[in-house]
Amino acid sequence: MEESREGHGLTEDKILSIWMILFVALILLPSIFRVSLGISHFYMKIVVKMLEWATLQIEEGVKKQKAMAPENLISTGIIQRDETPMEKEVVGRCRGCFSLADVMYFSKKGCEAVAEDEVTRRFSSEELLSWNLLSRTNANLHHVSWKLAAVWVTGILIRYCLLLPFRICLSIFSILLLMLATTVVGQFPNGRVKGWLSNQVQMICATLGVRCLSGIVHFHNRENKPQEGGICVANHTSPLDVLILASDGCYSLVGQVHGGLMGLIQKSCMQTAQHVLFERSEMKDRHLVRKKIREHIADKAKLPILIFPEGTCINNTSVMMFKKGSFEVGGTIHPVAIKYDPRFGDAFWNSTKHSIMTYAFNVLTSWAIVCNVWYLPPMVKEEEEDAVHFADRVKAVIAARAGMSVLPWDGGLKRRKVKESFKEEQQKKYCQIVIENGSVGSGSVC
């Protein structure tokens, strides 16, 4: 019996050793050397084929439903929106002079805004063209056919029973490795060796973090990567933006001091890198923020500073107003465009609806996180160009490269009311239309 137990114990040790070897060979070493073994790409090909098959099943099911009552058909939107701009619609009516019928135009636009305005919908998840077999995006589509329902249930078992435990373990390992490695590297004297080790630790841990999500990131135009002493600005969708960019380069971050787990990670990172962190009270002092950023970029030996000028997370369908602060400090701006593929998982963090833990759970139970990152040519402020116009120019370049729409609205509308200045701007716009068509002064009313 004792010999049998000893033999059984050796077998367990061998199994554990095999798992450790596989972990080091398949996860840790590829992350250290930042190479891909092709496992994630093979996994993604399977998921793509499955989603394509599911789309065909749904299309066939919808065709069968066309003969049914209209209320049983799946709706794809709230309202049918007329995108005709004010200039064309108002000028086209009564030849531009003031008309009481203009009231109907503003009433219609008001009703559309109450139902679904172009700003508020940027703070909710992007609408999918087809179901991606995730429970949170399910609109009872699994009832289309029993085959689709079987695949959906199988996907739930794979994501929650197989991928989720593995991703959680790898996430915990990545965080512990980051804290341990930064503590050790932090003991080194300041110099090139410490800087090189710090950069390697940051990139390795960030790469492991991307692997936690079965992430596939396609980087384009690496020759335009941000350089030391510059400012990197990017559109903002989620906290994953930092993780993804850090897996391909090192940055100093600008942000608010956090508590809890995030605060512990921040303190660990501060031991090896010079980030620009502020207390909540200091964030309101724009002059202090600009001063610290200006001091950072003045030292060309420091890492490029990473800023998200929108100031909040947008659902990756548009780029909203860039705050002008980061464009007032001078220096070279390195634009970066980030575009996620919503088919495999929703990377957008709706901070007004979900806590960070709920968001992390949703991301860890998605199929994967897939995105494209474009490094765009550096930009500088032109002569006699103010910070607002420079910010708008950078925003337009990022939106065009990522294929997203440009909105002039402030992302702060997620939590605040519309400024009076925005309302006055629309009123002036209408008055200008009437004045230019000569109705004022002639007293004509149509």
Side-chain angles (χ1 to χ4, degrees), residues 10 118 122 215 224 270 312 333 362 380 384:
L10 290 174
E118 66 175 2
R122 310 298 175 178
N224 295 325
M270 285 296 292
T312 190
I333 300 294
N362 290 337
V380 294
E384 300 182 357

Side-chain angles (χ1 to χ4, degrees), residues 360-397:
F361 178 79
N362 290 337
V363 171
L364 290 172
T365 53
S366 298
W367 292 113
I369 295 297
V370 180
C371 78
N372 286 276
V373 176
W374 290 274
Y375 297 112
L376 304 176
M379 303 175 66
V380 294
K381 188 163 66 171
E382 298 176 351
E383 294 183 6
E384 300 182 357
E385 184 181 32
D386 59 17
V388 174
H389 287 88
F390 184 33
D392 289 340
R393 186 158 59 90
V394 174
K395 179 181 70 172
V397 169

Side-chain angles (χ1 to χ4, degrees), residues 69-83:
E71 60 268 16
N72 293 331
L73 293 176
I74 300 170
S75 176
T76 57
I78 298 177
I79 54 177
Q80 185 68 33
R81 187 180 298 274
D82 182 9
E83 301 293 346

Side-chain angles (χ1 to χ4, degrees), residues 150-205:
V151 172
W152 173 60
V153 172
T154 303
I156 291 176
L157 295 176
I158 292 174
R159 289 185 292 108
Y160 284 85
C161 300
L162 181 62
L163 295 179
L164 180 60
F166 172 76
R167 290 171 175 174
I168 290 177
C169 292
L170 187 56
S171 301
I172 295 174
F173 174 80
S174 302
I175 294 173
L176 293 177
L177 177 63
L178 175 65
M179 296 171 60
L180 177 62
T182 50
T183 302
V184 173
V185 174
Q187 306 306 314
F188 283 67
N190 293 330
R192 292 185 177 181
V193 175
K194 181 178 180 180
W196 182 83
L197 289 175
S198 172
N199 293 344
Q200 295 304 310
V201 166
Q202 175 180 309
M203 294 179 69
I204 290 171
C205 292

Side-chain angles (χ1 to χ4, degrees), residues 259-303:
L261 179 61
M262 287 293 293
L264 193 60
I265 295 175
Q266 281 183 340
K267 291 179 181 178
S268 300
C269 293
M270 285 296 292
Q271 297 183 65
T272 59
Q274 296 180 337
H275 301 289
V276 184
L277 301 180
F278 304 91
E279 296 290 345
R280 182 181 293 272
S281 57
E282 293 180 344
M283 286 297 288
K284 297 179 180 179
D285 190 345
R286 297 180 180 179
H287 296 288
L288 179 61
V289 173
R290 285 198 295 267
K291 179 183 176 182
K292 291 191 175 183
I293 295 175
R294 191 177 288 110
E295 291 174 352
H296 183 95
I297 64 175
D299 188 350
K300 300 303 179 183
K302 290 185 178 180
L303 296 173

